Amino acid sequence: MKATHRQDRTALGSSRVRAISPILTLAAIFSLAVSSGTLQAQVPVKQPLSLEILAMHARAKRPVATAAATSLELAATTTALSSGSFNSEQGPGPGPIGPGPGCNLFPAPASTGTTVPLSYFGPPPSDTNRSLVGPVQLLDTGVVDVAHGTITIPLYLGHLKGSGKNVWYVLTDVDDPNVAAELGLNFSAKLTFASHSARTGNLDVNGNIVFDAGTVNFKPERKIIPGPAGHEFPPTFATPGAIGDANYGPLVRIVNAANVIYNAPMVAFDVDANQISFPNGNVDYTKVHDQVVAIDPVNMTVTLNLINGFSFGRPVWYLSMDTSSTLGAAIEHNTFAPLMQKILLGHDDSFASPVERIFISTNGPESGGCNNPLRQGLSADLADGFRPNNVVGGIPTLALDYSPYWDAQLFEWTQDAIDQGFRGQLREEFQILTFVQDGLITGPGGKTFGSSGFSINCPIVQRLD
């Protein structure tokens, strides 16, 4: 690993929606209705954008966002270290820089085990080819703060058609490669096949979106009551802190600009700038998304919490913005987005699939909390408040099939695998699938492994190696 990456590592060293009864099966918890029409969704072949249309999208380009010069007051991100009720705390929860190896996936410096200091190592190979050893930032609209585990990106102000209400949102992904390159967003070809789960809207003369429908209520109080010790998942009660109406989903299809599809998660709604001015933190989470660490409507930036994970064995940081189930949204500290329920699940990597898979352990190692380097899973998350170290499929630079819409595939270690000492931290998709094939892992409750019936909007931000 090279100097730029390793110097970062060195610097790091210095209203309730649903009560969940414990007697409900996991299938009932995560069941979603998918219309029969979804299975036959027809998607037109995309044509290259004309220069005129591309210029319309270019108006949405903003200067690369930079974080505020003053220190952020990250009270919400350290709650789990000091509070006994962290599962019901508002805000993003702890960031990706945890207190031990089980909650901090940042790789060791390349100088470990060598006879030369870190300064002898050159720039990372990813400076030449982004698919090589990193680090490499994938969402290029802002600056990643490796000390706090956040990213600051442009904040957009659009409006709701008819009422004119303010819609504050961010842009993370788009289904056109030229628009992605122009705006510094992630390109996801799969979003083209998600049009039936997208709102519609139009670009105005300033490159802001006028949305036809979709609202979010950020006032509810997030609350989770975990299950008993050692079996914290599923929780006995869970309700998210932000709830979209039936027409809300993060994707938007731009009707007046060639039907390009953006991932445009809402971070605040129907509020004026002075009501959400928290440039240094201490955010009012009754007004904004729970993953917001700071928001500055004067300079039009928003700082969002990053989340640990793995893609094909490599540690990554990503955002968590929306989920199609209330339980998932509560655990993820994000927005319940009912329109996401129209997405076709269970067909990852087949023709016209709009999703990639995310693999989520329910009963991974949790003993010792963050001190356990093998820590993983939802029970661990609900026990200590830190993130579960999920595994995602393809991301830009590692595959061509990236989608920010992740089809959740929950998995459970069998009792036989646990008894034989086989349970550990898994970091790679095909490793997990092999363990399923070998009978060491099943779906929750011993059910057949596969889609758990809900999806999560998690735009990728950075590959750490």
Side-chain angles (χ1 to χ4, degrees), residues 193-199 248-252 339-343 405:
F193 302 109
S195 60
H196 51 282
S197 68
R199 296 173 288 164
Y248 174 71
L251 300 187
V252 57
L339 198 58
M340 290 179 66
Q341 295 177 356
K342 291 187 176 183
I343 203 75
Y405 266 22

Side-chain angles (χ1 to χ4, degrees), residues 293-429:
V293 175
I295 185 167
D296 185 349
V298 174
N299 294 305
M300 294 300 288
T301 63
V302 59
T303 301
L304 298 167
N305 203 45
L306 296 175
I307 309 232
N308 286 329
F310 299 100
S311 175
F312 295 104
R314 302 190 183 193
V316 297
W317 283 351
Y318 59 86
L319 300 170
S320 183
M321 302 305 296
D322 310 89
T323 306
S324 67
S325 80
T326 54
L327 174 57
I331 292 177
E332 285 287 319
H333 302 243
N334 66 24
T335 300
F336 171 47
L339 198 58
M340 290 179 66
Q341 295 177 356
K342 291 187 176 183
I343 203 75
L344 176 64
L345 303 176
H347 295 262
D348 173 37
D349 292 343
S350 64
F351 174 70
S353 170
V355 297
E356 260 290 83
R357 291 191 275 187
I358 184 169
F359 303 88
I360 306 173
S361 171
T362 62
N363 66 339
E366 65 175 287
S367 176
C370 289
N371 290 326
N372 184 349
L374 300 181
R375 176 192 171 279
Q376 188 171 48
L378 293 176
S379 280
D381 179 320
L382 294 173
D384 59 35
F386 288 87
R387 303 316 292 254
N389 298 333
N390 295 327
V391 177
V392 301
I395 63 171
T397 71
L398 293 185
L400 299 175
D401 54 357
Y402 162 72
S403 172
Y405 266 22
W406 301 96
D407 183 353
Q409 299 206 332
L410 275 63
F411 67 88
E412 177 180 294
W413 289 92
T414 66
Q415 190 59 51
D416 185 53
I418 295 172
D419 291 343
Q420 295 188 73
F422 296 159
R423 177 170 59 174
Q425 185 183 83
L426 302 182
R427 297 188 169 195
E428 198 271 321
E429 174 177 348

